[in-house]
Amino acid sequence: MNSPGYQDIKQDWGIDELVTKLRHLRVQSLETRHRRDRPPKLPSRKELQKILDGLGAVLFPNRLGLPDLNDEGIDYFVGHTLDTLLRELYKQIRRELQFTSGHTAVDDAYQQSVAITREFAARLPEVRTLLDSDIQAAYEGDPAARSSDEVLVCYPGITAITHHRLAHILYQLGAPLVARIISELAHSATGIDIHPGAKIGESFFIDHGTGVVIGETAVIGRHVRVYQAVTLGAKRFQKDDDGILVKGNARHPIVEDDVVIYAGATILGRIIIGRGSTIGGNVWLTYSVPPGSNITQAHVRSELFHDGGGI
């Protein structure tokens, strides 16, 4: 007996019932968030990924742009691509502002979105300068790097810091949701999690990178190098009188210039890592250290012992 063909199979997936149940849950969620009559239209991850790819080509047209670009065509390519990208970025920023304002100030959202997009565009040369310093730091800091071109196209740390440099500007200008999505796109692609609020100086090098976490209020100076699985995190989360987490308070480390942090180090709280210090691998550090310190696991265990904390 022949098996029935696809057309002969009558399946009841219960679609109508599922649609009804999902609609009920969706409406219930909207009512809980007081958005029953104004469902949210959030910025699109897919569109922002396209914008990021295009911005990479604009910032580095000879290496990330079209393969057949010549000297005469580069400026046209950059200008035309920028015009298209900024129009799309404006739409994503407007979505965020309309979402956060509750759709009650459409004109204000329009004007503010235009202003943010224009200021973001004006700061792109600043981003290119910073990225050049990051790429050079990676090339000089890694003996395996054969060229700065290889660093740009191959190193996950450069992908992550490129996203961060762009996201940080948007975060500063008042588009934190768009900025966070951009950071999470880098996180998904590289395993490097940098909050867009973190302040990072020039010539920043993340070697290998997987598992690196840098919190929202972290401050990192110039010529800093970190390795894989490094965490610059919060030691504790402050709560208000109602037991709700306090948002935005400074809770992550300050890392001064010329610091090296080796693989697996965990640095927590609003502490200061002094200029020129070296933090060894797998160190757990919750106190400030002066400039020029060399902190190892043995050093940390000794400090804990002398402070009465035991080992």
Side-chain angles (χ1 to χ4, degrees):
M1 180 172 159
N2 294 329
S3 299
Y6 173 77
Q7 295 82 356
D8 300 324
I9 298 176
K10 303 296 184 183
Q11 296 285 2
D12 181 8
W13 307 111
I15 297 297
D16 291 342
E17 183 181 0
L18 286 171
V19 169
T20 300
K21 288 181 177 179
L22 290 172
R23 182 178 66 246
H24 173 74
L25 292 170
R26 185 172 65 248
V27 170
Q28 186 179 52
S29 175
L30 289 170
E31 289 176 345
T32 300
R33 292 177 288 145
H34 306 291
R35 290 184 176 272
R36 177 67 177 85
D37 299 321
R38 40 189 172 85
K41 301 297 181 184
L42 296 172
S44 166
R45 287 175 61 101
K46 183 180 295 186
E47 292 304 316
L48 285 170
Q49 182 63 69
K50 293 178 183 177
I51 291 168
L52 287 169
D53 291 341
L55 286 172
V58 163
L59 291 169
F60 299 97
N62 284 313
R63 288 173 279 182
L64 302 180
L66 298 176
D68 56 350
L69 284 176
N70 54 34
D71 289 341
E72 292 76 19
I74 287 179
D75 285 345
Y76 174 80
F77 167 79
V78 169
H80 175 73
T81 304
L82 259 181
D83 183 62
T84 301
L85 294 175
L86 293 174
R87 290 174 187 271
E88 291 303 317
L89 179 61
Y90 151 76
K91 294 177 183 177
Q92 302 306 315
I93 295 172
R94 186 182 63 185
R95 279 190 176 187
E96 173 178 348
L97 296 182
Q98 289 178 340
F99 169 72
T100 55
S101 67
H103 298 265
T104 59
V106 175
D107 290 341
D108 289 345
Y110 167 77
Q111 296 294 340
Q112 191 177 355
S113 301
V114 170
I116 290 173
T117 306
R118 184 177 288 119
E119 178 61 22
F120 173 81
R123 292 179 64 177
L124 286 175
E126 169 192 331
V127 172
R128 170 64 200 247
T129 299
L130 284 169
L131 289 175
D132 281 342
S133 75
D134 299 326
I135 291 167
Q136 187 63 24
Y139 174 65
E140 293 176 357
D142 185 1
R146 298 175 181 269
S147 68
S148 59
D149 296 325
E150 178 187 0
V151 169
L152 173 62
V153 300
C154 295
Y155 280 40
I158 294 301
T159 299
I161 195 62
T162 298
H163 281 60
H164 176 75
R165 300 289 190 199
L166 297 168
H168 183 64
I169 293 174
L170 291 167
Y171 181 89
Q172 289 179 313
L173 294 176
L177 179 56
V178 169
R180 190 63 187 270
I181 293 172
I182 290 172
S183 294
E184 287 306 317
L185 289 170
H187 186 192
S188 298
T190 66
I192 298 169
D193 183 3
I194 309 176
H195 192 284
K199 298 177 182 179
I200 301 178
E202 65 186 55
S203 301
F204 182 57
F205 176 31
I206 304 175
D207 200 355
H208 305 295
T210 304
V212 167
V213 177
I214 300 174
E216 177 184 19
T217 63
V219 179
I220 299 175
R222 300 176 300 165
H223 303 283
V224 170
R225 183 170 71 217
V226 302
Y227 288 80
Q228 67 272 21
V230 165
T231 297
L232 302 180
K235 184 178 180 180
R236 60 177 60 88
F237 301 107
Q238 183 179 349
K239 296 182 179 180
D240 63 19
D241 294 338
D242 297 322
I244 298 174
L245 287 179
V246 175
K247 306 284 186 176
N249 60 315
R251 59 196 183 278
H252 299 101
I254 297 172
V255 179
E256 295 185 339
D257 299 348
D258 304 308
V259 168
V260 179
I261 307 174
Y262 283 100
T266 299
I267 303 173
L268 303 180
R270 193 60 164 187
I271 63 176
I272 299 174
I273 307 303
R275 180 173 183 168
S277 294
T278 299
I279 309 301
N282 297 314
V283 163
W284 181 280
L285 190 61
T286 58
Y287 57 87
S288 296
V289 299
S293 297
N294 185 10
I295 306 299
T296 64
Q297 290 187 61
H299 184 161
V300 172
R301 286 197 295 269
S302 175
E303 290 286 340
L304 287 172
F305 179 80
H306 288 298
D307 287 344
I311 297 179

